[in-house]
Amino acid sequence: MKMEGENTKLLKNLTEWRFSQYPKYILLPIDENHDEVLANIKNVVFSEVTPRPLERNLRLVCVSEDVLNNILDMDIEITTREEFVEFVAGKKLPYGALPVAHRYGGHQYGLWVGQLGDGRANILGEYVNRAGQRWQIQLKGSGQTPYSRVYDGRAALRSCIREMVASEACHHLGIPTIRSAALVVSDETIVRDMYYTNTPRREKAAVLMRLSPSWFRFGSMEILSRMGELPTLKQLADFVIKEYYPDIQLTDENRFIRLFSEIAHKTLDLVAKWQGLGFTHGLLNTDNMSLLGLTMDYGPFGFVDSYDGGFVANSSDGEARYSLSKQPDVVVWNVGQLANAIKPLLSPSQQVHMSHILKTLDTYCKNKILETFLMKVGLREERWGDEQLIEKLLDMMQQTGADFTVTFRQLAELEPNEMVNEVKLKEKWSLKRLSSHASWGCWLDQYRERLEKEAVDASSVGMFEDERRRRMLSVNPVYIPRNWMLHEAIFDAERDDFAKVRFLMDVLKNPYEVQPEAEALGFSAQPPQWAYALKISCSS
Ligand code: AMP
Ligand code: MG
């Protein structure tokens, strides 16, 4: 048994807090030649960098107490110290730091665009916490790197707030994701043309401290494969297996196939989670697809309000390539690009094996999504006709403009036979809207019938109803980070009032629980009219 004290103590200052000596990534090729012309960088996975700290009147916008306590072993009290704020701003590098920028490439909007790389992000080092987990700490907005080209290496406060709030919310919603620890802003400004309409304006710059076990993307492998840097590709693939997929043996000659298969399935599991919560990533380029199956790159994402399969979160995505209902296909396509990147490491027969795996992915993804939606309506196992039951429900939602999140929640809050009762429906604004559909009664009959089939196994229908409700309430959230809430919080934060950001973070720690303070602010009510006109671009 662990003794109270030493092992459980959370740190209140940075004196004893240090990075792991050494980070594992030191085993991969790191470019140290800062004068090297970008195009000549070959056979490296990282470049050494020095963060350019944010200066001038630093203020802490918000922190994730969960990340501080449970990942970084820090007591919340540490956030009152100047050294903590300086750490987040890139000014103070704790012992053992080895700042690097990662070299990767990617397919953007379906086209190979060559080398990208961290243009404004620095991995500072790795922290091994008291639970023995190894986390990489990264700053976003901490200055230019060899991969920056023309940009300033900074990040806008507004986009950092969106990422901070959404990544922590996704974690609490049960979506695998990178995490955010803390966000600082200063009086430094940057110029951004938010909607690419030739109307640049000055905005506040910020630095976001975020965490992931690893920041590798599909594009990390793609760049090495495309450039013919095969020994480095192999080295990276073996590194990823050793550090992040320890169930795969390094001596296994089929290890790269297994790695591919694990990443592919993890990634599709992630898409099913996104679909179940109405999360639209907005920028599903292969440089934004994690090799660990985590949600990463929170730019122009959006949680759909009124259900619409054609919902496009990103106003820069004119062709709707990344719309909500196209996400599964696009991710399968992205996984195909990862397959192409890994292919040179495979023998001809292994390549055939890989193409067989690829052919199963569509079906795997569809089944996962169906499984997710069946859980959302309180059903455990798939039976004949279930796919149509879900499709019909989504069609009705789309046609009536019912809210995606709230409808599922309210489906749990009423008993099926109450769902035609006008008085009961009056209290459930989104379900009421759905019930205006001509096919509502018919759908409800089918749903009831379907529930009865499953209830036969339960000892009584009454008990089954309790179980249905309990299960549905645990997978259908009350709160999601909606664009209008983020918009209001950002508006205030740009004027140095961080209360709304912090409140949002607080509410979204328990997204499956009704909270009176959040109810009072309309967080589960119909979004305000102006919210439907909000535009989010990938400018950040
Ligand atoms: P992102 O939108 O964060 O996925 O960025 C796409 C690519 O552009 C990445 O390689 C970034 O590192 C780079 N980038 C984006 N914004 C900046 C910036 N302000 N300064 C330098 N590089 C940037
Ligand atoms: Mg990106």
Side-chain angles (χ1 to χ4, degrees), residues 221-222 224-226 230 233-234 237 256-257 259-260 335-356 358:
M221 291 197 162
E222 285 181 284
L224 300 174
S225 187
R226 285 264 174 166
L230 300 187
L233 175 66
K234 190 167 181 199
F256 299 127
I257 287 274
L259 175 66
F260 167 72
V335 170
Q337 300 314 308
L338 178 66
N340 287 342
I342 291 178
K343 217 182 244 169
L345 300 180
L346 306 181
S347 69
S349 70
Q350 287 175 330
Q351 292 184 15
V352 173
H353 185 174
M354 169 115 93
S355 64
H356 287 317
L358 277 170

Side-chain angles (χ1 to χ4, degrees), residues 21-40:
Q21 203 62 274
Y22 295 92
K24 298 274 176 151
Y25 56 76
I26 206 167
L27 298 170
L28 292 168
I30 302 177
D31 186 37
E32 291 166 20
N33 182 357
H34 308 282
D35 302 325
E36 187 74 79
V37 180
L38 190 65
N40 294 344

Side-chain angles (χ1 to χ4, degrees), residues 358-402:
L358 277 170
K359 283 189 196 131
T360 65
L361 295 183
D362 263 323
T363 312
Y364 177 86
C365 191
K366 286 207 175 73
N367 288 340
K368 271 277 158 192
I369 293 170
L370 181 59
E371 216 175 88
T372 307
F373 276 94
L374 288 180
M375 273 167 51
K376 283 178 78 68
V377 296
L379 295 169
R380 262 176 312 196
E381 355 163 323
E382 194 198 334
R383 303 217 182 167
W384 189 82
D386 281 353
E387 206 173 332
Q388 288 71 23
L389 188 76
I390 299 297
E391 257 173 33
K392 186 72 210 161
L393 176 62
L394 292 176
D395 281 350
M396 290 192 302
M397 284 169 76
Q398 172 131 8
Q399 285 155 18
T400 55

Side-chain angles (χ1 to χ4, degrees), residues 104 116-120 140 148 151-154 192 288 297:
Y104 56 83
L116 297 162
D118 291 330
R120 44 133 170 222
K140 177 174 180 169
S148 293
Y151 307 108
D152 55 15
R154 290 297 192 216
R192 291 288 185 274
N288 293 335
D297 210 299

